[in-house]
Amino acid sequence: MTKKELKLHALVAPTETVVVSAYDENGKAEACTLAFYMVSSHKPPCVTIAINATQRRKTLKCLLEQKAFVLGFPSVNQAKETDYLGVESGYEADKLKNIGFTTSEAKQVHAPIINELHLSLECEVVHTVTVGSHTQVTGEVKRIIADETILNENGMVVLEKLQPLIYDEEQLRYLCIGEKVADAFKKGIEMKKTFQGDS
Amino acid sequence: MTKKELKLHALVAPTETVVVSAYDENGKAEACTLAFYMVSSHKPPCVTIAINATQRRKTLKCLLEQKAFVLGFPSVNQAKETDYLGVESGYEADKLKNIGFTTSEAKQVHAPIINELHLSLECEVVHTVTVGSHTQVTGEVKRIIADETILNENGMVVLEKLQPLIYDEEQLRYLCIGEKVADAFKKGIEMKKTFQGDS
């Protein structure tokens, strides 16, 4: 297969779009949209986000000052609002008010939950580092709150109900998730047993 | 809407599955599958991965020693091999050989590219930190290499051609990507102009 070298850029494979929210020093809720997010620890559960530190980002300032944030997961029918939260600055506009989103204070950290998002993680900032243009912020997840409508009978999130908004930075668009293609930890474990049997 | 508190866990919204590869001290290629990955800087382009540090992970040891790794993106038709690379240990088996994957040395870093994966990022380790159970490793992307078959005429990756393998940790399965639901930076910018016009 012919391999081709691409222009160096921050190539984003499809990634969940998230909305991070935090209080400013007056207790006003700020929020911005991010695509640079990952789970970063199982025990304790942590998430890490990366926010551009070369621009004036009010939400970044707020969450670093308050050492707390909420990570919310928008659904595909909130694409317009999510897009707006990523392109406007909290210094220029009252973003949440403009789009009619409301907030409640989180229970375990001092940060605002956006009520309209179906899934939210309350996070305490436990580590930060700036590498390149972005500050990486690791938050320990202190509480997970979800609308019942996106859960199954075991209290697990069903992605087909959450309908997460996937961001494609190559083509600058949002996608929905697709069909299941395989179980995890099944075919791989079968192969492992086969190869162990061979040796 | 009724909100429900969920059991605290490392809740993974759908995330790209990646295969990280590195050389051991003898120049043997090791690889393992990860779902904890994000882009972490635009300039210079960086990616961050989180690997469980509480278990014996040969690939983690290798990439920390060599300060280099390659991040490869498997496609949905490689789900079985990808699953296997995540469940077997490099200390127990010659994983890449077992599944018939071959490697070539990267050009910009001392790490192996898996030839069968359609998209690979050559990365130099520039920062590491352990938080909770996982070590977060930030790599500066030094070179991006892709099969021509997954590119459009502008040399951009087309996700419908790459067919990335999305991991759903809630239901322990792999998904494909779905349809486009919106353009990015379009409706949000229209809203921004509307609200600015109001003020």
Side-chain angles (χ1 to χ4, degrees), chain A residues 3-4 6 40 42 83 98 115 117 133-134 144 146 157 160 170 172-174 176 178-179 181-182 185 188 195, chain B residues 3-4 6 40 42 83 98 115 117 134 144 146 157 160 170 173-174 176 178-179 181-182 184-185 188 195:
Chain A
K3 300 267 182 194
K4 194 178 168 190
L6 309 191
S40 54
H42 274 131
D83 200 46
N98 278 346
N115 299 319
L117 300 183
S133 54
H134 284 55
I144 304 172
V157 174
E160 285 81 354
E170 289 291 292
L172 298 183
R173 58 188 175 154
Y174 300 107
C176 60
E179 301 290 313
V181 295
F185 311 123
F195 291 124
Chain B
K3 300 267 182 193
K4 194 178 169 189
L6 309 191
S40 54
H42 272 133
D83 201 44
N98 277 345
N115 300 319
L117 300 182
H134 285 55
I144 304 172
V157 174
E160 285 81 355
E170 290 290 294
R173 58 185 175 155
Y174 300 106
C176 60
E179 302 290 312
V181 295
F185 311 123
F195 291 125

Side-chain angles (χ1 to χ4, degrees), chain B residues 18 31 47 70 89 147 185:
Chain B
V18 293
V47 294
V70 169
S89 165
D147 289 334
F185 311 123

